[in-house]
Amino acid sequence: MEKKKQISMAVIRRLPKYHRYLRELIKNDVDRISSRELSEKIGFTASQIRQDLNNFGDFGQQGYGYNVKELYNQISYILGVNKEYKTIIVGAGNIGQAIANYNFEKSGFHLTGIFDVNPKLIGLKLRDIKVQDVDQLEEFLKENSIDIGILCIPKNAAQRICDILCNNGVKGIWNFAPVDLVPSKDVKIENAHLSESLLTLSCLMNS
Amino acid sequence: MEKKKQISMAVIRRLPKYHRYLRELIKNDVDRISSRELSEKIGFTASQIRQDLNNFGDFGQQGYGYNVKELYNQISYILGVNKEYKTIIVGAGNIGQAIANYNFEKSGFHLTGIFDVNPKLIGLKLRDIKVQDVDQLEEFLKENSIDIGILCIPKNAAQRICDILCNNGVKGIWNFAPVDLVPSKDVKIENAHLSESLLTLSCLMNS
């Protein structure tokens, strides 16, 4: 169960979707499912599914299919959703506020601090957390063990904040700023570049 | 210039990033760039870049590199950023409000209507647009030619709204609801599944 192979980035990107579909199956009391049936639901080919899920051990048996609960547990483990994370948001503008109010708590992501540079936002309360001056970020990070920094700031400020986060124990950055950050140490970056997602849509509409 | 090959989804997903880097190069008065130099900036391999950009015609010349402006224009054309789009937002909660306040206008995406089911939100003004009752959505779509519907609603309501959009002339859906929609006709869907992006980050942090 606990063994971990090196899993490719392409597979990692598909895992949350598997996770979501398996959770639905459990809700609907489905105990097992074949790669063909899963394929019809999730939209990947059956062969792609078998190849992907092969990474995590022997959950599929010919003629039996996958044990839904076991597979879900294993994918949860690989996704790290069985853990708890302390998060902070830097940038309390539109996106920052939306993320603050989005309920990620139930998935184990606990919002612990919010920072901004704008005096009009400092002191504002979002979900009982007061927005602090970004000048206090470094001290806050030194006093609290924060796992994830969520960057919702303009691109010009992003690398500087990224550096502060990397140098003060943060392990992952969820980056909404439209820029590619260069992390130091072994900090992981996941971009949520909304403009690029919208351009992908307009590209699809024109192709 | 105008020829269009079938471009793979993997390349389409990389195009907005090329677009962003090329825009920066133009800002910095760079006229041409080799695949090797571009590789150092953008993080794809030089061979990947040559292969990707080969899709769009002969912009690269051995020993000369790419003509930045021409390549930028061609990618802009393929992304459809030279066009204007009328958009509506369905769901004026946290994410919907953030998207409404995000400045996509300068990229040609013009917000034309906002809809919600919540009486507390109906009548609220976001960027001079009054939130309307979602019951008026269908009529609005019949009277206005809308290109893109932006769904910021709970998953349970999403397919029903998707059907209304698809049946009333919308050509693309930008979907923030954590569910895979089944479009009718030739409507394109681009998902912005924030929870899945966050799970990708926790997965990377645990790998």
Side-chain angles (χ1 to χ4, degrees), chain A residues 94 97-103, chain B residues 91-99 121 152:
Chain A
N94 298 315
Q97 292 191 24
I99 298 298
N101 287 314
Y102 205 103
N103 190 5
Chain B
N94 298 314
I95 294 291
Q97 291 190 25
I99 297 299
L121 294 173
C152 307

Side-chain angles (χ1 to χ4, degrees), chain A residues 4 17 20-21 24 79 81 83 85 94 101 155 174 180 190 194 196-197 199 202-203 206, chain B residues 4 17 20-21 24 79 81 83 85 94 101 155 174 180 188 190 194 196-197 199 202-203 206:
Chain A
K4 273 193 183 180
K17 193 167 171 182
R20 173 158 56 86
Y21 276 85
E24 286 295 315
L79 287 173
V81 291
K83 298 192 181 168
Y85 303 89
N94 298 315
N101 287 314
K155 62 179 178 178
W174 197 21
D180 294 308
E190 164 72 5
L194 297 184
E196 299 195 2
S197 176
L199 285 189
S202 66
C203 185
N206 283 284
Chain B
K4 273 193 183 180
K17 194 168 170 181
R20 173 158 56 85
Y21 276 85
E24 286 296 316
L79 286 174
V81 291
K83 298 192 181 170
Y85 302 90
N94 298 314
N101 287 315
K155 63 178 176 176
W174 197 21
D180 295 308
K188 306 297 181 188
E190 164 71 6
L194 297 183
E196 300 195 1
S197 176
L199 286 188
S202 67
C203 185
N206 283 283

Side-chain angles (χ1 to χ4, degrees), chain B residues 48-81:
Chain B
Q48 170 88 82
I49 290 172
R50 285 192 298 271
Q51 218 174 346
D52 283 355
L53 301 185
N54 232 347
N55 282 291
F56 320 131
D58 296 327
F59 293 101
Q61 283 173 38
Q62 197 104 36
Y64 173 87
Y66 295 101
N67 179 320
V68 171
K69 193 75 196 288
E70 275 188 25
L71 190 55
Y72 176 77
N73 287 342
Q74 179 68 352
I75 290 181
S76 298
Y77 170 76
I78 293 164
L79 286 174
V81 291

Side-chain angles (χ1 to χ4, degrees), chain B residues 1-136:
Chain B
M1 264 291 279
E2 303 290 304
K3 78 171 172 177
K4 273 193 183 180
K5 284 193 213 171
Q6 189 69 28
I7 299 168
S8 80
M9 200 58 216
V11 178
I12 287 177
R13 294 225 164 270
R14 285 192 288 272
L15 284 185
K17 194 168 170 181
Y18 282 115
H19 191 254
R20 173 158 56 85
Y21 276 85
L22 290 166
R23 192 175 51 218
E24 286 296 316
L25 289 172
I26 290 172
K27 260 192 207 164
N28 296 326
D29 293 321
V30 177
D31 291 331
R32 57 181 187 163
I33 190 164
S34 70
S35 51
R36 190 183 48 73
E37 290 165 319
L38 192 53
S39 164
E40 279 160 20
K41 287 183 182 291
I42 204 167
F44 308 146
T45 66
S47 120
Q48 170 88 82
I49 290 172
R50 285 192 298 271
Q51 218 174 346
D52 283 355
L53 301 185
N54 232 347
N55 282 291
F56 320 131
D58 296 327
F59 293 101
Q61 283 173 38
Q62 197 104 36
Y64 173 87
Y66 295 101
N67 179 320
V68 171
K69 193 75 196 288
E70 275 188 25
L71 190 55
Y72 176 77
N73 287 342
Q74 179 68 352
I75 290 181
S76 298
Y77 170 76
I78 293 164
L79 286 174
V81 291
N82 51 341
K83 298 192 181 170
E84 306 287 312
Y85 302 90
K86 278 196 194 170
T87 70
I88 58 162
I89 292 174
V90 185
N94 298 314
I95 294 291
Q97 291 190 25
I99 297 299
N101 287 315
Y102 206 102
N103 191 4
F104 291 117
E105 300 287 326
K106 66 180 187 325
S107 310
F109 298 91
H110 305 292
L111 185 58
T112 312
I114 308 174
F115 297 85
D116 205 288
V117 71
N118 182 348
K120 283 182 189 160
L121 294 173
I122 294 166
L124 184 78
K125 265 195 171 179
L126 299 169
R127 294 199 25 241
D128 282 333
I129 297 172
K130 227 182 228 178
V131 178
Q132 297 181 66
D133 191 321
V134 77
D135 285 349
Q136 298 177 296

Side-chain angles (χ1 to χ4, degrees), chain A residues 92 96-97 100-101 111 113-115 119-132, chain B residues 94:
Chain A
Q97 292 191 24
N101 287 314
L111 185 60
I114 309 173
F115 299 84
K120 285 184 189 158
L121 294 174
I122 295 166
L124 184 77
K125 266 195 170 179
L126 299 170
R127 291 201 26 241
D128 282 332
I129 299 172
K130 228 182 226 178
V131 178
Q132 296 181 67
Chain B
N94 298 314

